[in-house]
Amino acid sequence: MALIRANDTESILAAAMPSLSDSERAAMSRHAGFAHTAVLVFPTTLDGLAAELAQHGITVGAMTPSVVVRDRLSRRYTVPVADLTVGIFHASVPDRLDRPCEVEIFAMVTPPELAHIAADERRHGWENHFALAVPAADAIVLNGLMTVTGTQMRPDGGGYNAHEDSTVLYFRNDHHPAPAYRRLELVSTGRFPDLVTAHRRESVPGTRLLRLLTGAWATQAIATAVELRLPDHLGTTADLATLAAATGCDRESLGRLVRYLSSLGILHASADGYALTDLGRLLRSDGKNSMAALASMYGGPFYRSFAALTDAVRTGAESYERVFGAHHFKHMAADPELAELFHRSMAASNAMFTEVVRLIDFSAARTVVDVAGGNGELLSQVLAAHPCLRGVLVDQPHVLTVAEPALAPFADRCALIPGDFTEVVPTGGDVYLLSRVLHDWDDAQCHTILTTCAANMPEHAELLVIERLLPESAGTESLAIPWDVHMLCNVGGRERTESHYRALLAKAGFTLVDTQPLPLDGYVLRARRER
């Protein structure tokens, strides 16, 4: 009762979910209001309970049978539902803005043989909660509220109470410092069986863990689809029998694979057969920004090296060299077919480069130097967008062979220079590019690369560093987080925060002047030499 009197919707949301933004909190408040707090008590009988509560100044109405909490207790303690009697009593209490609110009292009849349930519930407070009511019963609004709440708290079961015609969805945050705010109930009039089923499924911790543990299976299923050229064949046929003949596969086994790919969102199943989704089209070998080669890399060499991740974590040394007998770059340089696959896989991130050309003003530049430019895709896009620019790409000789086709249309204004960029880079440029290079190396080697650039760049030149950035604070999603482990495992490098790059640049004589986001969680960092 004191909790209700001290709060309203805004304040209880702020206390329970402090990381919500003001706009998110305001949006939730528009669709849901603080409705009640709830506690589970354990009388030996329900007879006379209302009168006993009245002696404590708590006036309650008629009892309503509990369905959801009774079922939760039954499952938690493996007690038959028929052996449990749980009632709900309501007591009106105004919130701090004098709006109507309630204390919801769940009462479980507790004979001696159920005393262990009372002891455990009192210790942990599994059923105690505060509630937000959704007055307009709407599946879309309710789903949106579930989504926002799910970013702050984990699903914790729910159900439908036919006696009250209400759907309840519970969420929990065991790490909240105040027990009163650890559990939330979203309650809405009406029945939403699909939402309840999905929510209860996600409430079982093992469901999410199993989904994570089967991630390797998804990688292999996608890589297998690419190896069978399934996305390419789906451009001309949708029938499973025809697909099996075209790919040389057993029809039943292929059917099991495409069903899995459909569940991953790669394919769409219909009465007419199968079709590629937007995700699936990225796996066509002839598609723009195709990720087919990337799937082959992740399902092939990198899949094998990731199996030795434990060694990398224990030793700090890349596991790729342990598996293949040589560092990633040396091993691929010695195998032209593998090197070609790797460079094609790098093209999967070409979507980043279109935004670089759009965001960066190259109008004052005459020469752009791409340091370790790999397949030449970034430089080719810069030159295509700016016909007056000249380009220089410096990299290892075998890499320049891969870059030649992309830069062939600009042969009259582009030079390909073989060399070790850790020792020297061409002079005379106006803009220097370091795209997805620094994350391949440790801090010491990054310092060498950056100081080499600084020593050879004219004073007016600008350096563009393109990388993914680790979040500065915990709880923010980013592709850089798994890629950081990938770099540990496969090249011995690392992803870094913006602050980390700022410090590396400063140590090498640069000032970071701007950071702009790019697609695929990339960023372009603009730096100039300190004067």
Side-chain angles (χ1 to χ4, degrees):
M1 294 171 75
L3 184 70
I4 293 174
R5 291 176 178 134
N7 282 286
D8 58 20
T9 302
E10 286 278 351
S11 68
I12 205 158
L13 281 173
M17 295 183 270
S19 60
L20 282 181
S21 66
D22 291 342
S23 61
E24 289 172 327
R25 205 157 43 239
M28 286 195 73
S29 297
R30 285 196 298 271
H31 295 287
F34 184 28
H36 67 254
T37 60
V39 62
L40 176 59
V41 298
F42 306 93
T44 56
T45 177
L46 298 181
D47 295 337
L49 181 58
E52 186 175 351
L53 290 169
Q55 292 176 10
H56 294 280
I58 305 171
T59 303
V60 298
M63 185 200 78
T64 303
S66 166
V67 174
V68 178
V69 170
R70 182 197 60 183
D71 290 349
R72 287 168 58 85
L73 293 169
S74 172
R75 286 192 298 273
R76 185 178 299 128
Y77 299 103
T78 62
V79 176
V81 169
D83 292 350
L84 295 175
T85 300
V86 184
I88 311 173
F89 296 86
H90 300 271
S92 296
V93 182
D95 71 5
R96 73 173 184 175
L97 298 179
D98 206 31
R99 293 170 179 165
C101 206
E102 290 184 334
V103 173
E104 196 172 68
I105 303 168
F106 291 89
M108 185 189 93
V109 176
T110 311
E113 60 269 22
L114 297 181
H116 65 286
I117 296 179
D120 190 66
E121 290 292 326
R122 284 172 174 143
R123 184 180 306 114
H124 297 290
W126 299 122
E127 298 303 324
N128 298 345
H129 63 266
F130 71 94
L132 299 175
V134 186
D138 183 307
I140 301 300
V141 169
L142 190 56
N143 188 56
L145 291 168
M146 289 168 61
T147 301
V148 174
T149 305
T151 66
Q152 311 293 311
M153 311 172 85
R154 64 173 177 82
D156 190 36
Y160 173 72
N161 188 338
H163 299 288
E164 297 181 340
D165 185 31
S166 63
T167 293
V168 296
L169 302 163
Y170 294 113
F171 296 84
R172 190 175 195 91
N173 176 9
D174 291 321
H175 302 293
H176 198 290
Y181 302 113
R182 287 178 184 169
R183 194 155 177 272
L184 162 67
E185 172 191 309
L186 283 179
V187 56
S188 177
T189 301
R191 188 172 187 178
F192 304 94
D194 292 341
L195 292 182
V196 170
T197 298
H199 188 73
R200 288 175 65 169
R201 180 170 176 265
E202 292 303 314
S203 297
V204 180
T207 301
R208 186 180 178 206
L209 184 58
L210 283 174
R211 189 181 295 120
L212 294 173
L213 288 171
T214 58
W217 302 354
T219 301
Q220 282 301 310
I222 295 170
T224 296
V226 169
E227 184 176 352
L228 296 172
R229 298 187 62 244
L230 189 61
D232 293 342
H233 289 300
L234 279 165
T236 57
T237 185
D239 176 67
L240 182 60
T242 308
L243 286 172
T247 57
C249 293
D250 174 75
R251 176 176 173 174
E252 181 186 358
S253 298
L254 183 63
R256 294 160 74 174
L257 174 65
V258 297
R259 179 172 58 200
Y260 184 29
L261 292 170
S262 298
S263 76
L264 296 173
I266 303 297
L267 305 180
H268 172 71
S270 69
D272 298 324
Y274 294 91
L276 293 171
T277 62
D278 288 344
L279 287 181
R281 278 188 280 275
L282 291 172
L283 297 172
R284 288 183 59 93
S285 62
D286 59 352
K288 183 181 180 182
N289 297 332
S290 169
M291 291 187 170
L294 192 68
S296 297
M297 281 297 301
Y298 287 175
F302 289 159
Y303 193 86
R304 292 177 57 190
S305 59
F306 238 98
L309 176 61
T310 302
D311 293 318
V313 174
R314 281 179 172 158
T315 66
E318 57 166 300
S319 54
Y320 191 99
E321 183 170 359
R322 178 181 179 88
V323 173
F324 293 102
H327 184 275
H328 167 212
F329 295 125
K330 289 183 178 179
H331 178 252
M332 292 193 177
D335 185 337
E337 185 175 336
L338 183 58
E340 196 271 339
L341 174 65
F342 172 72
H343 287 294
R344 282 196 291 116
S345 73
M346 292 292 286
S349 298
N350 287 348
M352 286 186 189
F353 301 152
T354 302
E355 286 295 290
V356 172
V357 174
R358 187 181 69 84
L359 291 170
I360 302 300
D361 181 8
F362 290 91
S363 60
R366 298 180 60 188
T367 302
V368 176
V369 179
D370 195 350
V371 181
N375 59 17
E377 179 63 30
L378 173 56
L379 185 56
S380 71
Q381 291 201 27
V382 173
L383 295 177
H386 301 278
C388 295
L389 279 177
R390 296 188 59 81
V392 177
L393 189 147
V394 57
D395 214 318
Q396 300 291 330
H398 70 279
V399 177
L400 296 182
T401 302
V402 177
E404 283 177 356
L407 294 170
F410 316 102
D412 60 333
R413 53 190 178 100
C414 183
L416 277 65
I417 300 177
D420 185 345
F421 61 88
T422 65
E423 296 178 359
V424 66
V425 299
T427 60
D430 302 298
V431 177
Y432 285 73
L433 308 175
L434 272 177
S435 175
R436 298 176 297 171
V437 173
L438 297 180
H439 75 161
D440 288 333
W441 307 96
D442 61 20
D443 283 4
Q445 193 64 43
C446 284
H447 180 68
T448 299
I449 295 168
L450 290 170
T451 53
T452 300
C453 289
N456 290 276
M457 289 172 58
E459 186 172 316
H460 72 276
E462 187 169 86
L463 176 67
L464 303 182
V465 175
I466 299 172
E467 297 286 359
R468 290 190 172 96
L469 296 181
L470 286 171
E472 297 281 0
S473 58
T476 304
E477 288 190 15
S478 171
L479 288 173
I481 295 172
W483 253 259
D484 186 41
V485 180
H486 168 67
M487 303 313 293
L488 164 68
C489 186
N490 287 299
V491 297
R494 66 185 307 154
E495 305 293 354
R496 297 172 172 87
T497 61
E498 180 180 352
S499 299
H500 196 158
Y501 277 118
R502 181 181 288 107
L504 285 176
L505 288 162
K507 187 177 180 182
F510 290 96
T511 299
L512 179 61
V513 296
D514 187 38
T515 301
Q516 295 281 351
L518 300 174
L520 304 178
D521 285 356
Y523 287 83
V524 55
L525 292 79
R526 294 175 52 230
R528 296 195 182 104
R529 289 179 54 192
E530 294 178 355
R531 304 192 177 180

